[in-house]
Amino acid sequence: MISLLLSGALLRAQAGPTASTANGAGIADTSLDPRVESILRSMTLDEKVGQLVQYSAGQATGPGTGRSDYKEMIVRGEVGSFLNVVDPRQINEYQHLAMEKSRLHIPLLFGLDVVHGFKTEFPMPLGLASTWNPALVEKVSRAAAAEASASGIRWTFSPMVDIARDARWGRIAEGAGEDPFLGSAMAAAYVRGYQGVRLDAADSIAACAKHYVGYGAAEGGRDYNTTEISEHTLRQFYLPPFHAAVEAGTASLMSAFNSLDGVPASANPFTLKQVLRKEWGFRGLVVSDWESVGELEPHGIAASKEVAARKGFLAGVDMDMVSSVYHDHLHHLVDSGSVKLAEVDEAVRHVLRVKLALGLFEHPFVDESAAERDWFSPASMELAETAAEQSLVLLKNENGADGKPLLPLSNNIQNLALIGPLAEELAHSQSEKEQSLRVSLASAIGQRIGADHLFRFKGVGLLDGTDEQIAEAVAVAMKADVVIVALGESPDMSGEAASRAHLDLPGRQQDLLEAIVKTGKPVVLVLFSGRPLTLPWAFGHVPAVIAAWFPGIATGPALARTLFGEVNPSGKLVVSWPRSVGQEPLYYNALNTGRPAGNVDLSHPPANADDKYLSRYIDEDNSPQFPFGYGGSYTSFSYGITTTTQKELSARILNGNLGATAEAAVRVQSKIKNTGARPAEEVVQLYIQLRGTSTAQPVRALKGFRRVALAPGESKTVEFDLPPQAFAIWNDRNAFAVEPASVTLWIAPDSAHGSAAEIEIVP
Ligand code: BGC
């Protein structure tokens, strides 16, 4: 077997299809270096340390207390950055102190978690990823950048590109799901959108790919928990979206909270120095997560805060978010010889480079009077609605009594009931302007069928409820022809520090649902959640279910247009939807085992030893409730056979072309037809499986996807040009390479279907 070993530069193999360096004027631009060096030469050690210090001066987004002497510290040059300052007046006030009163006039960098919009609220990231539309995500992050920068925020702690395989982990909501290929495409799209064509444009903000790395693999799905990830899994699954973000020019990365194979990610020289700096050539800034350097002490690898500062710093964390240990100890660590001055200089370079690339030295202030001008622009509002519509995933749509699928609903419907704790707007912390722009689901539906024909009733609370409330809800349902039930989680039940051990409907929502279904009325379940929920009863008994995630400011109109068929749902799952919590972590791109179970029939005991000793549960299917990539439509599609331009590829030639912007190694195609009566967009997916390689490979791995618009009856041949990188794996010699293998390729509507084609990779 000949397989060429490849250097780290070729890790690009797994980068998303759209990864490219968009911002030539960004941190990769070496023309900034002379200015960096000249500033550096003028700095004292304390001023250098100051650039590596970040405090939160607004609403806390983590534990710990703030300080009260920020103004004095700014004047002394002891702070390089703030997060969570959102008022442009305060930003300017601090910036004036830095620019006019500090000795070197180095601007402050203001950062914030601008995650799915700044003012205009777009769908949460898991929903945005469910659009499978990186171009749309790029527009969304561009719009968010415009709004945030108008307030003086030039740095966002986004995108979160952590691979998430476990729905118990609350932060699954903040990322793009379980797949590295899709995750890479989304990572690059976010970076391009935030940073724009030029990072120094007034409406561009620096991106921060987080949380580097492995944070999503928290054991038991419990936030901040330990992770154990082999290098093989790290390289093939967890690192690629970060690499894609680096390739797209991200100005920064955030080091994570988790310990990774015993070494906390914020003190991990292998990931922070070897992979990030040496192999990927990253020239931007690494900021720690909130107090994650100080937390090296409770992690147990630092006997004091000083040791924590030393370990975090020497591992490659440039800037200390909030824990203040660099501020308190770095100077002394240099004096005592534990840290070299040259190492401090290198970290300061990373910070200055980002500030210079952003044009902050030239334009440090924000126009306070203009900050609100661009909020909620008509273009952003329209984008929010498109994004919300494409993020909705139709999970189920069965035929009703009339033999037709329950959805879409007819505009002629006589009476409709809207029941459930999530039927109302989640109205907290909205400004007046935002309230005036939000159209609730109830009003959006009311506008269609007439407010008198819509019966609204909360039924139960999210976490509580009584038998009486359920009985009243049933009475309301009885008056309607169709009942829409809006159930799920509140937004704060997912996200940071919101892991769940139970993935069912909280409170009495299940009882409410069952009581309403028992009325015999047709029921549409609209599920709001930051993760898939295990609802086997609902999927067995409710005819129509939409996974809405949290769609943002356009929730009402987007859902109403979808429910009534003006929009044909086109979102697809970016996470495998579990049947039960016990299946977690559950992900489609798992490795095979020596005893694959296939589809076992759980209703009978195994007939013989061959059926018994398989990799499976005795009390649950292995398969998900809905597979990765799955999403329904109001039309139907047929997928033709999958064909390839070649039947045989050469590993030697593929390896020779890995680094190049190579032409396609093979073209894969299939004819997709809209066989139904409605125009639609279908997300067509390409998967591969490799067999015979030196390391075990996923049963399927996504290698391409495309949104295709199809009119009723229309067919299109969908083509994927697979580059050599698509076949590269992390092999048993610890390198990315293409190896001889048998390859199955599927063009498919999801990760569990599609027609297969076979090719061989020969030596
Ligand atoms: C989170 C980060 C976030 C930071 C600042 C931390 O607790 O883990 O994702 O960017 O706070 O808000």
Side-chain angles (χ1 to χ4, degrees), residues 291-306:
E291 291 199 340
S292 65
V293 179
E295 287 173 12
L296 298 176
E297 203 183 1
H299 262 299
I301 66 154
S304 65
K305 293 287 185 224
E306 183 176 318

Side-chain angles (χ1 to χ4, degrees), residues 61 83 113 157 171 210-211 254 257 289-290 321 496:
T61 46
L83 76 154
D113 292 311
F157 307 117
R171 303 196 79 168
K210 70 186 187 187
H211 306 83
M254 183 184 289
F257 290 124
D289 203 346
W290 182 284
M321 181 189 282
E496 188 175 352

Side-chain angles (χ1 to χ4, degrees), residues 619-637:
D619 56 357
E620 184 55 276
D621 282 336
N622 283 4
S623 67
Q625 186 88 55
F626 303 104
F628 174 88
Y630 173 78
S633 165
Y634 297 154
T635 192
S636 48
F637 304 97

Side-chain angles (χ1 to χ4, degrees), residues 54 56 59-63 83-84 112-113 115 156-158 160 162 171 174 208 210-211 215 223-224 254 257 288-291 321-322 496:
Q54 184 188 53
S56 167
Q59 196 201 343
T61 46
L83 76 154
N84 294 342
L112 183 75
D113 292 311
V115 171
T156 176
F157 307 117
S158 169
M160 187 192 99
D162 294 307
R171 303 196 79 168
E174 293 180 60
C208 183
K210 70 186 187 187
H211 306 83
Y215 184 36
D223 210 359
Y224 317 117
M254 183 184 289
F257 290 124
S288 77
D289 203 346
W290 182 284
E291 291 199 340
M321 181 189 282
V322 176
E496 188 175 352

Side-chain angles (χ1 to χ4, degrees), residues 45 59 128 246 257 266 396 623 709 741:
L45 175 57
Q59 196 201 343
L128 280 177
V246 169
F257 290 124
S266 289
K396 196 178 164 194
S623 67

